[in-house]
Amino acid sequence: LAALREPDWPAKARPLIAAQRAVLTADLTALGLTVCPSQANYLLFFHRNSSLDQDLAQRGILIRNCETYSGLGPGWFRVAVREEEACRRLIRAMEECVG
């Protein structure tokens, strides 16, 4: 029902997600992660710390472990592109885990 009340939301959200995706990609890359190019509202990345999802969960941040995805393996993860403050919290927590 909420989506029906905001029919213009997808058009408004696309530029916001695109801008935040670029910032998040740059921040993750600066931490030494390999980030796959994306046009979606999530980013797939690799880091040698295969327990990164568990380390972040201890800090209250949940990310998707993708090691069971066909063609991937340990060290592959996915994060959602979210609003600026949520992305900042993610990066701060990741700095503690990998930086």
Side-chain angles (χ1 to χ4, degrees), residues 53-74:
D53 57 328
Q54 296 164 22
D55 296 344
L56 289 170
Q58 292 175 355
R59 291 166 173 81
I61 307 253
L62 300 178
I63 65 172
R64 175 71 166 97
N65 185 317
C66 297
E67 72 179 49
T68 60
Y69 286 24
S70 180
L72 301 180

Side-chain angles (χ1 to χ4, degrees), residues 34-52:
T34 301
V35 182
C36 296
S38 175
Q39 295 296 312
N41 64 336
Y42 61 86
L43 294 172
L44 179 69
F45 66 88
F46 176 82
H47 190 271
R48 67 187 177 282
N49 177 357
S50 61
S51 65
L52 182 59

Side-chain angles (χ1 to χ4, degrees), residues 3-14:
L4 293 174
R5 283 185 228 129
E6 296 287 338
D8 296 333
W9 174 245
K12 293 176 184 176
R14 281 186 198 100

